[in-house]
Amino acid sequence: MIRHSLISTAIITALSSFSAHAALVTGQVFDNNKQPLSYADVHVHGKAQSIKTDENGRFSINIDANSQLHISKNNFVDARVQVTETSSALNITLVPTSVESVVVYASALHKNSLEMISPVSVLSGDELRNKAKPTLGETLKGLPGVNASYFGPVSSSPIIRGLDGPRVKITQNGLDSSDASRIGPDHATSNDSLAAEQIEVLRGPATLLYGSGAIGGVVNVVDNRIPTDNIEQLTGAVEYSHDTVSNANTYAAKLETGHNNFNFHFDGTKRTGDDYQTPRFNLPEEEHEDHEGHDEEEHETATSVKNTFIDSQTVNFGTSYVGEHLTLGVSYGRIETDYGIPAHSHEHEHGHDHEHEHDEGEEEAVYARVEQDRWQGLMSYALHNNWIETINLRLGYTDYRHAEIEDGAIGTIFSNETTEARLNIEHKLGNWHGMAGYHFSDSDYDADGEEAFTPASKTTTHALFILEEKQFGDVTLELGARIEDYNIDSNVGAAAHDHDHDHDHDHEDDHTDEHANEITPYSKSFTNLSASAGAIWQYTPGQSIALSVSHSERAPLSAELLSNGVHIATGTYELGLGYAIEDGEIHFEPENIKQETSTNIDFGFRRFSGDFGYTVNFFYNDIANFYYQQNTGLVFDEEHGLEAAEPGHDDGMAVYQFVSKDAKLYGIEFDAHYQLNSNAMVKVFGDSTTAKLADDEGYLPRIPANKLGSELQYNISDWQFSLTGTHYFEQRDITAYETATDSYTLFDAQANYQLSVGPVDTQFYINVDNITDELGFVHSSFIKDEAPLPGRNFRIGLRGYF
């Protein structure tokens, strides 16, 4: 009792050590020509709420202790000013920048995109809305260092620097999206870019804050479903767009309002589309024997990719209370999406229409039905005492269900219930400013049906992390560490891994039935350690050099460790790390599973002032025990089990097994821009990634091709125009059983017109994608030969803001 009383007293003392007397700080914000800047954001560091300067650049804000003001405005470098309770009549000058400066929520330390040590890209505002596609992968693939897995346009996940799947953490407001997109490329992400305020892409390891799954990077979708600023009046937005390439219609709406510190948010989207059109292409060849025993090839062409329809609706509600120190909020989101799974293996191929009907005598296409309920909670308390600034708690609960429907009936159900909590304590220790916290995640995954190639499993993680920074003149040093306890539990059925030649025996044999019902409990724990050190040197105003070194450890997901079965969507038989193949039989031998260990070096140059600016990043990633799927050279069919593949025969499914080998990934990514005049800007961007196994064992599979692009932006009166050309180089750095991919060039154009319709700020736009109707195949796709990129597309839309 005495010990508990002492702990309680200490906590109460810490929480009550701030001053109860607020002081008013006033000031004015100017540009470098001494002209006042209106509508600049001003907020006290560590508090959630902010204010804006008036038309004359003036502001007044309450503080209750020695604090730091953070002043930001688009196209200007952020300013941070130390203030005390006696500060008044501040004059603050913001330096213009040639690129947009945006606060990166995923940084945890309130840094903007120009202050980040790790390379980051942010899509927001009209740029995000113009580039938004049905999937995250297609929305982000134009960014340097970012590509897409592309399982058709309705299921496409981001690839960062050649790394995808479980190595790229996809989060929503800092919490895991908790869908099944990390299990297989045919599983779409549950994040909708239409409802996002901004999308942040952190390249390189971000494991300190987001866990071992972020060994390659983080994509954080930021929305305002839990408002963190007080909303004083009713605001909203509506949008409609039509895409000709898939006859798709998209509707979106958002409403926000507030009163007396209580705030409310609503957003919803509806999207429907048919199979998308392509330039004419050759379908994969099928070989048959004629009557004389000679091979005869069938060449069949297509101008669309069958079974790529989408029918999706999302709705999100949120509310919050934002006080002087305390912010409380909760939100609920619902997703219901049906989408086709292209290239699904069946005995007979067939078409598909939007109503899921089929012609007589044809088998109905397989499609996915995704349902997700997601709850999020937020509690933030700003103390402003001598060492603790803010205590922030985020909670999330996600109930996800992915059903694959075959012949009108549910064939396989993937489900995932996830509970997540992240507690951050922002603090100052002497001249160090940082974040310490605790991260908990519990994921209960289940799969039931013919395509349940991964057994049910429960994964639990507990982690402690710390991130500290300190300024030394023009140099900012950042240090961080994380320790994570990772545990996976599963029950592996013997029948799931005993695909030998039992098909040739009597299935009524009692011993066979008894063996098939055996269950092998499996449990494995890992301790993942991560650490990083980095620095950014602002050696002259508007120019900097950044260097970071990190060490990250990752344990395998259940899909990488325990998969064993037919994955119909990819047309493969998948085996996990825990299995061994001996004499054509599969055995469960999960011994000596080692963690994937990454050592990453990132070096970047940046210039963001004046008419000319650039960002150039070099990276080198040395990964021990890299997990990847390797073609074994075997095939599987129900009649004969496993056997060696024979040229010219496609009866069985290729067997892919997860293996663990050392690998190296390195490359460069860059973007540069030049302001030709007040109306025109030209940009150049590109990336190159090399990914190979150590000891000259060859290249890794499905590594994206290098790209090089340029964009011209031109503004005149109420019109905004842009023209973008991107060349994707041929990819011939391939592994065994993989085919090379030819190069292609895509040209896209956009035109926006700004007009006012009463109180509604209205924008009409037209986008033309793939102007030249170029045929392009995505090397990183599992089904690249069956699903080329869409052909020429006209997207016409109208947005309104009030």
Side-chain angles (χ1 to χ4, degrees), residues 291-307:
H291 297 294
E292 298 180 1
H294 300 292
D295 286 342
E296 191 179 83
E297 294 185 351
E298 288 187 356
H299 294 277
E300 191 176 352
T301 64
T303 57
S304 68
V305 177
K306 298 298 183 182
N307 201 27

Side-chain angles (χ1 to χ4, degrees), residues 31-104:
D31 62 16
N32 58 341
N33 294 320
K34 299 302 180 184
Q35 297 298 310
L37 288 176
S38 58
Y39 306 112
D41 289 308
V42 181
H43 86 272
V44 179
H45 182 61
K47 287 189 178 181
Q49 65 268 33
S50 63
I51 63 169
K52 292 185 180 294
T53 58
D54 62 18
E55 294 181 354
N56 297 313
R58 293 189 173 90
F59 69 89
S60 59
I61 192 168
N62 287 313
I63 66 169
D64 48 29
N66 294 346
S67 304
Q68 182 188 83
L69 294 185
H70 183 192
I71 302 95
S72 61
K73 184 175 173 63
N74 288 347
N75 303 316
F76 289 87
V77 180
D78 291 14
R80 299 178 186 272
V81 180
Q82 299 295 329
V83 293
T84 67
E85 295 177 359
T86 60
S87 299
S88 62
L90 299 172
N91 288 324
I92 301 166
T93 300
L94 297 185
V95 178
T97 174
S98 54
V99 294
E100 186 176 10
S101 173
V102 181
V103 174
V104 181

Side-chain angles (χ1 to χ4, degrees), residues 498 500-513 585 638-639:
D498 194 20
D500 51 24
H501 304 292
D502 285 347
H503 302 278
D504 299 328
H505 301 292
D506 184 0
H507 290 281
E508 301 300 323
D509 186 274
D510 293 338
H511 297 289
T512 301
D513 291 340
E585 297 184 2
E638 291 292 341
E639 183 178 355

Side-chain angles (χ1 to χ4, degrees), residues 570-574 631-636 645 652-657 737:
T570 58
T572 60
Y573 189 99
E574 297 190 5
N631 192 322
T632 62
L634 301 173
V635 295
F636 170 84
M653 291 186 174
V655 178
Y656 281 80
Q657 181 169 22
Y737 306 100

Side-chain angles (χ1 to χ4, degrees), residues 530-732:
S530 300
S532 71
I536 184 168
W537 176 29
Q538 305 279 355
Y539 61 91
T540 191
Q543 299 186 52
S544 62
I545 298 175
L547 173 67
S548 62
V549 180
S550 61
H551 170 88
S552 305
E553 294 180 348
R554 184 176 80 88
L557 295 184
S558 60
E560 296 172 306
L561 183 60
L562 302 175
S563 290
N564 183 8
V566 174
H567 191 174
I568 300 177
T570 58
T572 60
Y573 189 99
E574 297 190 5
L575 278 177
L577 291 162
Y579 292 90
I581 301 175
E582 296 177 4
D583 299 325
E585 297 184 2
I586 300 169
H587 302 279
F588 187 52
E589 299 177 0
E591 290 82 21
N592 301 320
I593 302 297
K594 297 180 180 178
Q595 290 147 292
E596 186 177 273
T597 304
S598 169
T599 301
N600 187 78
I601 300 175
D602 217 299
F603 187 49
F605 299 88
R606 304 170 192 171
R607 175 190 171 101
F608 44 85
S609 62
D611 294 332
F612 176 62
Y614 57 80
T615 299
V616 181
N617 299 312
F618 300 90
F619 65 92
Y620 179 84
N621 201 354
D622 190 336
I623 306 179
N625 307 314
F626 184 82
Y627 310 142
Y628 74 100
Q629 284 182 298
Q630 182 183 63
N631 192 322
T632 62
L634 301 173
V635 295
F636 170 84
D637 65 45
E638 291 292 341
E639 183 178 355
H640 302 101
L642 298 182
E643 59 185 8
E646 296 182 14
H649 293 277
D650 301 324
D651 295 335
M653 291 186 174
V655 178
Y656 281 80
Q657 181 169 22
F658 281 96
V659 295
S660 176
K661 296 183 179 181
D662 296 346
K664 300 180 187 299
L665 293 87
Y666 53 88
I668 181 176
E669 59 205 15
F670 67 90
D671 65 86
H673 57 272
Y674 182 70
Q675 190 77 41
L676 300 173
N677 54 48
S678 59
N679 295 325
M681 175 184 285
V682 63
K683 295 182 178 181
V684 179
F685 58 90
D687 58 52
S688 173
T689 299
T690 299
K692 56 174 57 177
L693 295 170
D695 301 325
D696 296 323
E697 288 191 40
Y699 294 95
L700 291 172
R702 292 180 302 281
I703 297 301
N706 301 333
K707 67 174 181 278
L708 177 65
S710 181
E711 179 179 357
L712 175 63
Q713 298 177 355
Y714 187 78
N715 302 328
I716 181 171
S717 186
D718 293 325
W719 285 94
Q720 297 176 329
F721 301 93
S722 71
L723 176 64
T724 305
T726 308
H727 179 74
Y728 291 83
F729 292 85
E730 65 179 5
Q731 179 57 287
R732 304 206 175 273

